[in-house]
């Protein structure tokens, strides 16, 4: 049998080797070249002994077909002899971090990468989690056939196996999330979003909100607890115990009003476990997004008849190409200045109904003209009805604008909603006294809902405003006078006493409570070098001097909080960064800045931006309801965590038997 070396020495112009044309392809580790006749050579597979054309006379077949034999898993000997964890040849030119070849047909190569059954199962679990695929997909015939053709050596998994893999992925990722939260310098605020189901049970989504040492906000879905709707306190207790947050909880925000019994049941639980929660007063019983939705639904309900008429008019124009062309022509002839275009609303999203009404109202002249020029159009509103549409838009507009601020990725702070809720409340208080019975009847239920929200949440909103150096207590005093009238001093006193009581609780804690402040405290105990090269005493070296100041002044030094409140208000700059200001001033106010960080972490909404305008509560689909509760929690929590990047705790898949 001729060896490759002997064949390379054959003096033919077509195959004569030289120093530049040595056989470098890795396929020659798997093949030998045999001369089978004059001018005819074949490549023989070392594994299965099958031979392939290589050269005939001056024609050379190349190596592509040889690569396919060893790289695509078609060699029966390789499939038979190699162990599942052995290296599998795979053609991957330009991958694995290498530079893409400039001339593919000359430089493509066979790279050897390991086939890892466990790794493949882990990636399937991640794919199912990230894209909400059903767990049963691994048993679907189409998927089974696809995988068998893609990698015949992959052992297909069952529903139970992939369910276990998803829970294993959840457990691995949870370690990273728990470590991430443990490293946060402040406290954690919870939101509880309740989803309904076709069963008599609800799914409670508990999400943690917290701020890092760089004063950036974070949120992570922590638990999904399947409970009766009345078991809120048990769900919160489960979450706190699961994540070791019993002593770190700062506030709880629910997505719907609680019964008085549920509220009173939860308050003592929070107060006992967390002394810093002001005896349960930082418990927000209603999400602002749900409150605004309830207010908007009151408006839409009051105008249901006219809204239906507008919807039918828009439908008449939008569902026929000829009708729409005629409508556009009329708009151009009338020179209507509105740039809005008509669109049908999605009745599950109330913002689309508002936008439909606004567009129709601005184009009412076109609809009126269409009524006279098109005998088939019989839905034209009257002048009185157009006036009602304008009224609906007037009172929906501030609610729509307030809700729209919740759709930003970062989300607004409680400071923003102090302004928004106060403005809406003031407008509605004037509107209910209107002599127009339609306006008075429209705004009365709106005001009742805003008043209830203001009553339940004004302390939290006001405390956030106090932490804004542009407003402090001054805006609280001013706005409460407008809202509460003669009773304003009592409500201002509640906020003032609450903020001072909370500060005293923070002041009683040792300053180096967290790694961030511990590091600052360690730096503070050292001598600081002055610009002139000497050394300056730190505050810790002037304790006796501080005592002397107190004795000679005849009064105690002011607390950080009182110093902050007495300082002049900052100018009201539109793009002011409250968190950035506290980050810069945390050394000036070491205790107060910790309190400010936690107060400004309180979320006013429990819903994600894409659900702000939902007219109905979220409902768990029937497929997820059919799964075990721990599986539902694993799938949805892990999906939330993976969007921030994998924790990379371990590449090994933990086996979980179901």
């Amino acid at each position: 049998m001729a060896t490759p070396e002997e064949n390379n020495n054959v003096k033919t112009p077509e195959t004569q080797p030289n120093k530049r044309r040595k056989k470098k392809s890795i396929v020659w580790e798997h093949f030998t070249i045999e001369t089978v006749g004059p001018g005819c050579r074949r490549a023989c597979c070392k594994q299965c002994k099958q031979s392939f054309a290589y050269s005939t006379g001056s024609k050379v077949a190349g190596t592509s077909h040889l690569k396919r034999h060893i790289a695509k898993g078609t060699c029966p000997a390789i499939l038979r002899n190699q162990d599942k964890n052995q290296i599998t040849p795979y053609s991957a030119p330009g991958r694995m971090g290498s530079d893409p070849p400039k001339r593919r047909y000359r430089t493509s190569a066979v790279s050897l990468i390991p086939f890892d059954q466990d790794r493949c199962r882990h990636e399937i679990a991640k794919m199912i989690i990230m894209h909400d695929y059903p767990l049963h997909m691994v048993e679907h015939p189409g998927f089974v056939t696809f995988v068998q053709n893609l990698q015949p050596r992959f052992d297909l998994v069952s529903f139970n196996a992939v369910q276990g893999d998803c829970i294993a992925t959840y457990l691995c990722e949870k370690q990273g999330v728990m470590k991430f939260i443990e490293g946060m310098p402040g406290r954690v605020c919870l939101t509880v979003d309740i989803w309904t189901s076709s069963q008599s049970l609800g799914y409670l989504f508990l999400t943690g909100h917290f701020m890092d040492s760089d004063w950036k906000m974070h949120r992570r879905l922590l638990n999904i607890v399947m409970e009766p709707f009345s078991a809120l306190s048990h769900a919160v207790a489960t979450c706190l115990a699961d994540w070791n947050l019993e002593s770190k909880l700062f506030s709880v925000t629910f997505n719907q009003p609680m019964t008085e019994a549920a509220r009173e049941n939860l308050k003592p639980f929070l107060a006992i476990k967390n002394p810093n929660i002001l005896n349960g007063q930082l418990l927000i019983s209603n999400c602002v997004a749900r409150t605004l939705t309830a207010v908007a639904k009151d408006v839409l309900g009051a105008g249901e008849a006219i809204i239906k008429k507008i919807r039918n008019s828009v439908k008449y124009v939008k569902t026929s190409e000829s009708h729409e062309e005629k409508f556009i022509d009329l708009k151009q002839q009338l020179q209507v200045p509105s740039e809005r275009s008509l669109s049908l609303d999605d009745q599950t999203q109330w913002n689309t109904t508002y936008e439909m009404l606004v567009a129709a109202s601005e184009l009412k002249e076109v609809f009126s003209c269409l009524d006279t020029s098109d005998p088939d159009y019989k839905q034209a509103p009257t002048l009185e009805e157009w006036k009602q549409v304008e009224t609906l838009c007037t009172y929906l507009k501030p609610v729509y604008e307030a809700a729209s601020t919740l759709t930003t990725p970062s989300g607004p702070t409680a400071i923003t909603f102090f302004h928004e809720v106060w403005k809406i409340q003031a407008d509605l208080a004037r509107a209910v006294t209107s002599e127009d019975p339609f306006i008075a009847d429209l705004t009365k239920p709106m005001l009742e809902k805003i008043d209830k929200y203001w009553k339940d949440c004004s302390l939290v909103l006001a405390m956030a405003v106090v932490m804004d150096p542009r407003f402090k207590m001054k805006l609280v005093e001013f706005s409460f006078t407008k809202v509460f009238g003669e009773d304003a001093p009592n409500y201002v006193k509640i906020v003032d006493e609450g903020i001072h009581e909370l500060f005293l609780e923070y002041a009683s804690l040792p300053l180096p409570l967290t790694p961030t402040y511990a590091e600052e405290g360690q730096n503070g105990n050292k001598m600081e070098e002055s610009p002139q090269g000497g050394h300056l005493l730190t505050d810790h070296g002037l304790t006796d001097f501080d005592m002397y100041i107190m004795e000679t002044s005849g009064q105690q030094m002011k607390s950080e909080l009182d110093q902050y409140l007495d300082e002049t208000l900052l100018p009201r700059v539109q793009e002011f960064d409250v968190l950035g200001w506290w980050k810069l001033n945390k050394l000036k106010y070491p205790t107060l800045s910790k309190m400010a960080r936690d107060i400004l972490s309180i979320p006013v909404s429990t819903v994600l931006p894409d659900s702000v305008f939902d007219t109905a509560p979220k409902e768990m689909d029937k497929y997820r309801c059919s799964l075990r509760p721990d599986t539902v929690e694993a799938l949805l929590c892990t999906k939330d965590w993976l969007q921030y990047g994998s924790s990379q705790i371990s590449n090994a898949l933990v086996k979980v038997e179901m």
Side-chain angles (χ1 to χ4, degrees), residues 179-213:
K179 195 171 183 180
F180 180 64
I181 294 176
E182 286 174 356
M184 293 298 109
R187 297 181 178 273
V188 176
C189 301
L190 283 184
T191 56
V192 182
D193 196 21
I194 304 174
W195 288 30
T196 62
S197 71
S198 56
Q199 306 163 344
S200 59
L201 298 172
Y203 288 83
L204 280 63
F205 286 63
L206 293 100
T207 304
H209 303 255
F210 41 87
M211 202 176 295
D212 63 20
S213 56

Side-chain angles (χ1 to χ4, degrees), residues 267-329:
K267 254 187 176 182
F269 170 78
L270 295 175
I272 293 170
K273 292 286 186 180
N274 295 271
N276 280 21
I277 207 162
L278 278 181
N279 197 30
Q281 293 182 76
L282 298 186
L283 185 147
I284 304 175
S285 65
N286 202 0
C287 154
V288 71
R290 298 277 67 85
T291 299
L292 295 175
T293 292
V295 171
K297 288 172 70 175
D298 283 342
V299 179
L300 299 177
E304 184 177 4
I306 181 58
I307 292 173
K308 184 178 181 181
K309 203 169 187 179
I310 296 294
R311 186 178 293 119
N312 288 335
S313 294
V314 174
K315 189 182 297 183
Y316 179 83
V317 173
K318 297 296 291 183
T319 55
S320 169
E321 189 174 337
S322 61
H323 293 169
E324 187 167 15
E325 288 176 357
K326 188 171 186 178
F327 189 87
I328 294 172
D329 290 340

Side-chain angles (χ1 to χ4, degrees), residues 220-235:
R220 294 293 188 275
L221 181 58
L222 302 180
N223 290 94
I224 299 173
V225 183
M226 189 174 73
E227 292 284 352
F229 291 110
S230 59
L232 295 176
S233 59
H234 179 261

Side-chain angles (χ1 to χ4, degrees), residues 231-250:
L232 295 176
S233 59
H234 179 261
V236 173
T238 299
C239 178
L240 298 181
D242 193 21
W243 293 87
N244 301 321
L245 297 175
E246 287 94 340
S247 60
K248 293 194 71 174
L249 180 65
F250 189 68

